[in-house]
Amino acid sequence: QHALNSGIRRYHVAPVLCQRAKVAMSHFEPNEHINYEKLEKNINIVRKRLDRPLTLSEKIVYGHLDDPAKQEIERGKTYLRLRPDRVAMQDATAQMAMLQFISSGLPKVAVPSTIHCDHLIEAQLGGEKDLRRAKDINQEVYNFLATAGAKYGVGFWKPGSGIIHQIILENYAYPGVMLIGTDSHTPNGGGLGGICIGVGGADAVDVMAGIPWELKCPKVIGVKLTGKLSGWSSPKDVILKVAGILTVKGGTGAIIEYHGPGVDSISCTGMATICNMGAEIGATTSVFPYNARMKKYLGKTGRADIAALADEFQQHLVPDSGCQYDQVIEINLSELKPHINGPFTPDLAHPVSDIGAVAEKEGWPVDIRVGLIGSCTNSSYEDMGRSAAVAKQALKHGLKCKSQFTITPGSEQIRATIERDGYAQILRDVGGLVLANACGPCIGQWDRKDIKKGEKNTIVTSYNRNFTGRNDANPETHAFVTSPEIVTALSIAGTLKFNPETDYLTGADGKKFKLEAPDADELPKLEFDPGQDTYQYPPKDGSGQHVDVSPTSQRLQLLEPFDKWDGKDLEDMLILIKVKGKCTTDHISAAGPWLKFRGHLDNISNNLLIGAINIENGKANSVRNALTQEFGPVPDTARYYKKMGVKWAVIGDENYGEGSSREHAALEPRHLGGRVIITKSFARIHETNLKKQGLLPLTFADPADYNKIHPVDKLSIVGLADFAPGKPLKCIIKHPNGSQETIMLNHTFNESQIEWFQAGSALNRMKELQQKSS
């Protein structure tokens, strides 16, 4: 057991007089046990208080309350103080999370935590060569993460081990777990019946420090599944359909809870696919009830003991009969058709049967340049098997892919197993290139050579996100997301106009043939092949471990505390940029080539808002410097204002900050002198990240007031001395002609979050509290 400082707080997941056999949370932490008794006790306390049936989401969330007897609980209103079971971090976000943890001064993490190296490997030549190159280029960062993990008690998954979410599903997720991860697709673990939530690094630091973690009490959207999947329809089509219904912000502030008789027709990894892409509708997370498909997967991944324990506690791992959802969507899986969503946004849903005609009408390129399967969303054994089943039919008729074709295995275990079972070779034979077990092109880590920047083209992927320029940094790439088997079929045909359900292909012999709907095993008949061992255990005592950060490094930089609020109103702020339209975290802090600076705040701040469109001139990365009247790049302008001691604000549109959980999109504006972000609405993770770094995320009380602010205006936020939960703030708009307007701005700060603002950041506040307690 690890004590925090002088040591009252211990691992809260430790067993409390377990009557039943102790079951380890994972093979890698044999001394940390699943504590369903604590979950059961908390659920019973809350059920008695609320006196109503509970949804599954409520059971797991409320089952992890810090104080179930006194916690105020109102869906969509109150803030919950929670005790998650574990933390997971991918390497791009782990750098900043660990830098923040180091600056907290704590000796060791208070809950089981892991780091996963998956984001820094660029797809170029193929798996082995790309991995070797990544290890060489990123040696300094990998060494930092490995040594920081060893010093502070964090498990380290080396580069080549696989994508964080697949590793979690294979080793760490289990029914009823509450896990937070520094990646927006952490909800993937909902496929194993856990509440797995994507957060920024500062939230992860709270949990690793043993501090209760805050989450606004989620609403619960029920998705009732009836019927049964069959033919070309796949689990991916469920979430593509839901995204079309709810849109990219329809799930904000809610957990999506799947239920109904149709659930049992979906494999465990298929459920994970659905939960994974729930991030694209803004959902806090998504979850499925514990069932036989999960039990089967736990058994196949060496965790039959967890399944047996879950069987005993099953009543707490499924929703109560008669529970109430805030909204219900019903989908009949028997009628669900294969879907393809895009381009440029993951909620633009089309049946595959319609996409060719829609593309021609809209002027989207119908020829497919590249088909890409895999990623954290769709890289399971079943996914690879179904894709190989399609490829095998084409090969039988002498065909290969007309488009370029790439395959990304989700983990070393998946890679080794599909090599052993022949799937990888079939996919190579049809023209595929097997990439490293990493994120790769899905996050822009793709050294694409077949087109020039600015060239209009189409790609189809089995990924989850398709924002402008995301995969290859080309704003003219029209990216569509669909299932891996549809990607494979379309890559063989080479065109969006092909519908595998009805259309024929012409074989090498000139004869026409139709692809049959793919069929494949959900799990291997033999055991999984684990492949190479890529895990580094933290030592029992890491206190003597040295963590090296060179002061001259271009990749890593120790953090300096942000300045405290000076107690005054924010007067006469300049507007750095008024953003027009969609502004995701990719627009605010681009990934791709910028990933190498994720551990160096000053260097990565050179990408601040370079993808956002300036309403003044319709251009990206071109804003007017209000002090010189010259147009220039956004980061340069922000740096100039900071140098001159001038505070600034950003004006945004709807769902500002949707997409990735990257907290750099909040750290960068704070580092370069930003104080306020005013929008019509925020995405959940980004809004929290801004608060954590001492910024003010505010929303227009009247969304039409967005039109009252012009890029040349000055803004003052007044009344900060009386800043209080639920009380709007006043904004005075000062126009260049001397006239003024006053508008009201709403916020979602609670009392402790206001203390973050006053202290300058959540980390500053944590240190203040530590000093008081010592």
Side-chain angles (χ1 to χ4, degrees):
Q1 302 294 329
H2 305 303
L4 181 67
N5 290 351
S6 56
I8 314 161
R9 166 104 175 95
R10 296 179 180 273
Y11 271 173
H12 65 276
V13 289
V16 185
L17 301 172
C18 284
Q19 275 81 49
R20 296 169 173 85
K22 292 177 180 177
V23 175
M25 290 172 75
S26 83
H27 298 308
F28 301 102
E29 294 133 354
N31 298 319
E32 303 306 330
H33 301 104
I34 294 174
N35 194 352
Y36 281 148
E37 282 87 356
K38 178 79 178 290
L39 187 78
E40 182 174 56
K41 183 182 170 190
N42 285 4
I43 290 169
N44 289 339
I45 291 168
V46 173
R47 191 198 305 282
K48 196 172 176 184
R49 284 181 56 203
L50 298 182
D51 193 28
R52 61 172 173 78
L54 300 176
T55 67
L56 170 60
S57 314
E58 290 181 306
K59 288 182 182 182
I60 303 175
V61 172
Y62 305 160
H64 285 84
L65 285 169
D66 183 49
D67 186 355
K70 294 180 184 165
Q71 171 73 60
E72 201 181 337
I73 299 170
E74 188 178 351
R75 295 202 309 218
K77 295 277 174 68
T78 56
Y79 279 88
L80 306 178
R81 288 164 63 81
L82 300 161
R83 295 282 187 184
D85 296 306
R86 63 180 312 123
V87 173
M89 299 168 278
Q90 41 94 335
D91 50 355
T93 49
Q95 295 170 63
M96 199 56 73
M98 291 310 293
L99 286 165
Q100 289 177 88
F101 188 81
I102 289 167
S103 67
S104 77
L106 296 167
K108 201 157 196 176
V109 295
V111 300
S113 304
T114 50
I115 292 167
H116 303 260
C117 294
D118 62 1
H119 269 59
L120 302 178
I121 302 164
E122 185 179 48
Q124 193 180 57
L125 302 170
E128 285 184 30
K129 290 177 182 173
D130 293 347
L131 182 57
R132 266 199 309 273
R133 181 167 166 262
K135 284 178 177 176
D136 182 45
I137 291 169
N138 302 307
Q139 184 181 6
E140 180 187 12
V141 171
Y142 292 147
N143 179 59
F144 165 72
L145 293 173
T147 54
K151 185 172 183 69
Y152 297 106
V154 179
F156 179 72
W157 287 86
K158 299 171 190 173
S161 58
I163 306 172
I164 177 171
H165 311 303
Q166 185 69 31
I167 298 287
I168 289 170
L169 201 72
E170 291 171 354
N171 300 283
Y172 298 116
Y174 60 83
V177 72
M178 175 173 270
L179 177 151
I180 68 163
T182 60
D183 189 279
S184 57
H185 293 108
T186 302
N188 192 76
L192 252 180
I195 290 291
C196 303
I197 301 176
V199 298
D203 277 357
V205 172
D206 280 356
V207 179
M208 291 192 292
I211 294 170
W213 172 62
E214 281 195 348
L215 177 72
K216 194 172 214 179
C217 187
K219 292 185 175 181
V220 188
I221 297 173
V223 179
K224 184 179 181 183
L225 302 178
T226 59
K228 188 178 178 184
L229 284 176
S230 63
W232 283 92
S233 295
S234 73
K236 185 66 164 279
D237 297 309
V238 176
I239 186 58
L240 295 173
K241 177 77 173 174
V242 170
I245 295 167
L246 284 176
T247 77
V248 289
K249 63 174 192 169
T252 304
I255 293 176
I256 312 295
E257 184 172 313
Y258 293 86
H259 62 282
V263 165
D264 291 338
S265 76
I266 303 171
S267 67
C268 177
T269 52
M271 292 187 247
T273 291
I274 294 166
C275 292
N276 177 296
M277 200 176 153
E280 274 32 90
I281 52 177
T284 301
T285 191
S286 301
V287 68
F288 277 83
Y290 177 59
N291 68 1
R293 306 299 280 264
M294 294 182 194
K295 182 174 182 173
K296 190 175 176 184
Y297 183 80
L298 286 167
K300 195 55 109 166
T301 50
R303 294 175 289 169
D305 54 346
I306 294 179
L309 191 65
D311 284 345
E312 288 186 49
F313 285 87
Q314 180 155 14
Q315 70 190 82
H316 303 302
L317 305 173
V318 296
D320 286 341
S321 175
C323 66
Q324 294 296 305
Y325 296 100
D326 293 285
Q327 179 184 348
V328 177
I329 295 166
E330 192 162 332
I331 295 175
N332 184 340
L333 300 178
S334 301
E335 296 172 358
L336 183 65
K337 289 290 184 186
H339 272 63
I340 183 167
N341 289 23
F344 307 123
T345 185
D347 58 353
L348 187 57
H350 321 270
V352 170
S353 55
D354 296 350
I355 188 63
V358 172
E360 286 191 316
K361 183 183 163 208
E362 297 290 341
W364 303 332
V366 292
D367 289 342
I368 298 166
R369 289 293 188 90
V370 192
L372 305 100
I373 65 168
S375 87
C376 66
T377 321
N378 276 114
S379 57
S380 67
Y381 185 80
E382 181 181 37
D383 288 328
M384 295 297 161
R386 283 172 69 91
S387 300
V390 175
K392 202 170 179 181
Q393 295 178 62
L395 289 167
K396 186 179 161 189
H397 289 88
L399 295 188
K400 289 192 172 190
C401 289
K402 285 188 179 171
S403 312
Q404 289 183 40
F405 187 51
T406 71
I407 301 98
T408 303
S411 68
E412 171 61 8
Q413 180 166 283
I414 292 294
R415 183 209 62 78
T417 307
I418 65 170
E419 287 288 0
R420 180 196 70 193
D421 293 354
Y423 291 167
Q425 193 54 50
I426 292 168
L427 294 169
R428 280 194 203 95
D429 289 346
V430 86
L433 174 67
V434 178
L435 301 174
N437 315 321
C439 303
C442 182
I443 59 159
Q445 284 284 45
W446 184 15
D447 185 18
R448 190 176 179 192
K449 304 284 193 193
D450 65 297
I451 54 147
K452 296 191 180 91
K453 190 164 181 178
E455 186 180 336
K456 204 171 171 182
N457 75 102
T458 284
I459 64 173
V460 291
T461 82
S462 70
Y463 303 163
N464 42 41
R465 209 166 266 166
N466 58 348
F467 302 140
T468 304
R470 177 175 171 87
N471 303 120
D472 61 1
N474 177 15
E476 288 300 324
T477 293
H478 294 56
F480 295 84
V481 291
T482 184
S483 67
E485 50 267 50
I486 293 291
V487 172
T488 307
L490 292 177
S491 300
I492 292 162
T495 174
L496 288 177
K497 294 198 281 186
F498 178 69
N499 176 10
E501 288 192 300
T502 56
D503 296 346
Y504 287 78
L505 293 166
T506 304
D509 58 3
K511 291 179 183 172
K512 291 191 179 299
F513 72 98
K514 202 169 142 200
L515 292 170
E516 291 176 15
D519 188 30
D521 294 333
E522 68 179 280
L523 294 164
K525 288 186 171 69
L526 303 172
E527 296 308 307
F528 275 110
D529 181 341
Q532 296 175 32
D533 182 9
T534 53
Y535 180 70
Q536 172 187 293
Y537 287 85
K540 281 185 178 164
D541 179 10
S543 57
Q545 174 72 53
H546 182 66
V547 181
D548 191 28
V549 178
S550 165
T552 58
S553 172
Q554 293 301 300
R555 299 286 302 267
L556 298 163
Q557 181 187 46
L558 291 171
L559 296 172
E560 295 291 328
F562 289 132
D563 58 319
K564 285 180 69 166
W565 175 55
D566 61 9
K568 299 173 185 172
D569 286 336
L570 296 167
E571 300 271 6
D572 293 333
M573 289 179 293
L574 299 178
I575 294 166
L576 178 66
I577 183 172
K578 182 179 178 184
V579 178
K580 179 184 177 185
K582 188 187 276 276
C583 190
T584 70
T585 46
D586 280 280
H587 294 89
I588 303 166
S589 176
W594 292 95
L595 283 166
K596 61 178 172 283
F597 297 126
R598 284 280 180 89
H600 196 295
L601 180 54
D602 195 56
N603 280 347
I604 200 165
S605 293
N606 289 322
N607 76 3
L608 175 66
L609 285 157
I610 60 175
I613 301 301
N614 179 9
I615 200 165
E616 190 174 2
N617 57 10
K619 293 180 181 177
N621 203 24
S622 172
V623 294
R624 183 196 300 273
N625 182 321
L627 302 179
T628 66
Q629 295 305 311
E630 294 174 2
F631 278 83
V634 183
D636 297 14
T637 309
R639 285 187 189 277
Y640 186 85
Y641 292 162
K642 183 181 180 181
K643 188 173 113 185
M644 302 305 288
V646 178
K647 298 179 175 72
W648 52 262
V650 170
I651 310 301
D653 210 316
E654 293 276 11
N655 208 29
Y656 183 89
E658 73 172 275
S660 158
S661 70
R662 65 192 71 152
E663 66 184 332
H664 301 77
L667 283 158
E668 292 174 34
R670 183 73 166 98
H671 175 63
L672 294 186
R675 283 293 183 269
V676 182
I677 315 289
I678 305 170
T679 70
K680 294 179 184 175
S681 63
F682 286 98
R684 174 191 63 87
I685 299 176
H686 186 59
E687 182 182 25
T688 302
N689 287 345
L690 291 168
K691 291 177 184 177
K692 287 270 182 181
Q693 303 308 335
L695 285 144
L696 286 177
L698 306 172
T699 54
F700 295 104
D702 179 356
D705 287 344
Y706 170 87
N707 299 315
K708 291 180 179 176
I709 298 178
H710 304 287
V712 291
D713 294 338
K714 289 183 180 179
L715 303 178
S716 295
I717 306 293
V718 297
L720 286 174
D722 302 316
F723 190 15
K727 183 180 177 184
L729 289 167
K730 192 182 289 184
C731 174
I732 299 169
I733 308 165
K734 299 179 181 179
H735 301 299
N737 64 7
S739 64
Q740 295 187 2
E741 292 180 78
T742 300
I743 61 171
M744 300 309 291
L745 300 173
N746 294 332
H747 65 84
T748 60
F749 281 80
N750 62 24
E751 283 170 11
S752 60
Q753 292 171 344
I754 289 171
E755 289 171 356
W756 300 344
F757 167 72
Q758 292 166 340
S761 71
L763 197 56
N764 288 359
R765 181 61 182 153
M766 185 198 294
K767 287 182 186 171
E768 287 177 0
L769 293 171
Q770 280 171 7
Q771 285 160 5
K772 280 181 189 172
S773 64
S774 61

